[in-house]
Amino acid sequence: MNKAHFEPLWVTPKAHSIADWLIFLYEIQDGRGLSSYLGIRSGVGNHDAVRLWVHQKMHTRPKEFQTLGDLRTSFARLLPDATN
């Protein structure tokens, strides 16, 4: 068994909410494969990869993104062409 599948994921409630919005907006399917595009360790499920990416970007100092629009645009640029 792969232990990575059982590790708990913790992100801030705000990051979780924003990630869920991006998942809904871009119709991100559950599964695997997106983590490599987002720079998240391999083996992380697509939804958790989005949550981790948002959490990381929100906690970067100095802040990379000032608005949700900035975050959304950056996220969209990282997606494979098939999902844009």
Side-chain angles (χ1 to χ4, degrees), residues 18 21 63-74:
I18 292 169
W21 170 67
K63 288 195 177 231
E64 284 184 69
F65 308 111
Q66 298 301 317
T67 68
L68 282 176
D70 294 341
L71 188 76
R72 176 185 174 186
T73 300
S74 179

Side-chain angles (χ1 to χ4, degrees), residues 25-44:
L25 186 67
Y26 289 101
E27 300 177 0
I28 304 296
Q29 298 298 308
D30 200 17
R32 301 202 184 285
L34 189 57
S35 61
S36 62
Y37 293 97
L38 302 179
I40 303 297
R41 64 183 160 87
S42 63
V44 175

Side-chain angles (χ1 to χ4, degrees), residues 7-27:
E7 292 178 10
L9 174 71
W10 189 89
V11 297
T12 63
K14 185 174 182 178
H16 197 280
S17 178
I18 292 169
D20 284 349
W21 170 67
L22 290 171
I23 290 165
F24 174 78
L25 186 67
Y26 289 101
E27 300 177 0

Side-chain angles (χ1 to χ4, degrees), residues 52-80:
L52 286 169
W53 183 85
V54 170
H55 181 84
Q56 288 175 353
K57 297 305 175 188
M58 289 179 64
H59 290 87
T60 301
R61 298 287 184 245
K63 288 195 177 231
E64 284 184 69
F65 308 111
Q66 298 301 317
T67 68
L68 282 176
D70 294 341
L71 188 76
R72 176 185 174 186
T73 300
S74 179
F75 179 76
R77 286 185 188 136
L78 296 174
L79 296 176

